[in-house]
Amino acid sequence: MTDRYRTLLQRIDTWFARAMAKHGDVIPCRAGCTACCHGPFDISPADAELLREGLAALPAKERAEVRVRGELLLTRMQELAPEWGAPWDVSELGEEGFDRVAEALGDEPCPLLGDDGRCRVYEHRPLVCRLIGLPMLTDLGETLENACPIQDQFPGYPELPGVPFDYAAFATEEVAVLAATPGPETTIAAIAAED
């Protein structure tokens, strides 16, 4: 399933690359920018599978650092939601509950973020990490807003028009991939903390 999901994610990467080629002087997204790499994120079972693959490829020492960071973030999350625990199924906490936890921990760095400001598993990063940074104009006529938390610091960036994307076909394939991928919607921290 990972290959099918990776192929799906490549559509997002291609979309982003085209926008960078056209508007790269305005878009600040670069290796080392960590503005969107903070706070707990919910991820799909397919993202979890992809992350596990990326984490398994890390050197043992680096993997151990990620595990400790994941465990620390899970501890902070459980302090805010004592009723929540393994397997860290986001649906058990509910959307409102998870949003409350995510907001309270919005400044916490992602466990996958290296000291150099780079994602340790960049090629295996979840869908949410690939979507932040550009407004998307879907073929359904909707605009998904740019979620970059620092966009107002860059002239012209907040005003970028939605970048066209064939969202309907993407969503159909995503639903099929998720239906074939077992596991709960969880968090990056939960996957990072796994043995």
Side-chain angles (χ1 to χ4, degrees):
M1 187 54 61
T2 301
D3 288 338
R4 185 176 179 190
Y5 191 55
R6 188 178 285 110
T7 298
L8 184 65
L9 293 177
Q10 184 59 47
R11 293 185 198 174
I12 294 290
D13 293 345
T14 299
W15 165 78
F16 205 97
R18 278 196 308 261
M20 286 296 285
K22 184 174 181 179
H23 305 288
D25 56 329
V26 174
I27 302 168
C29 301
R30 303 279 187 277
C33 177
T34 64
C36 64
C37 305
H38 291 78
F41 292 102
D42 54 321
I43 59 170
S44 73
D47 286 321
E49 188 176 301
L50 192 64
L51 276 178
R52 286 183 184 105
E53 182 181 287
L55 289 166
L58 291 177
K61 182 180 179 196
E62 197 170 352
R63 175 71 184 102
E65 290 172 10
V66 168
R67 186 177 302 114
V68 167
R69 290 178 182 196
E71 289 169 352
L72 290 172
L73 185 52
L74 287 176
T75 298
R76 299 277 321 276
M77 293 166 76
Q78 198 164 42
E79 288 169 358
L80 295 166
E83 72 283 4
W84 195 38
W88 306 102
D89 184 339
V90 170
S91 69
E92 290 177 7
L93 194 55
E95 185 176 333
E96 189 175 299
F98 186 78
D99 287 349
R100 183 176 40 83
V101 169
E103 186 176 311
L105 298 175
D107 292 333
E108 291 293 319
C110 176
L112 304 173
L113 190 61
D115 293 335
D116 61 356
R118 294 174 183 264
C119 178
R120 296 174 195 248
V121 293
Y122 186 78
E123 292 302 318
H124 296 85
R125 70 197 185 283
L127 174 62
V128 66
C129 303
R130 296 166 194 257
L131 288 174
I132 295 174
L134 288 178
M136 177 186 286
L137 176 61
T138 73
D139 53 336
L140 304 174
E142 299 173 297
T143 298
L144 306 178
E145 298 299 325
N146 181 353
C148 173
I150 60 169
Q151 62 182 301
D152 292 335
Q153 297 175 21
F154 300 92
Y157 186 36
E159 294 81 32
L160 275 180
V163 179
F165 183 73
D166 185 8
Y167 184 77
F170 178 89
T172 299
E173 178 67 6
E174 182 184 23
V175 167
V177 168
L178 295 179
T181 308
E185 184 175 328
T186 188
T187 70
I188 292 174
I191 303 306
E194 291 178 347
D195 285 328

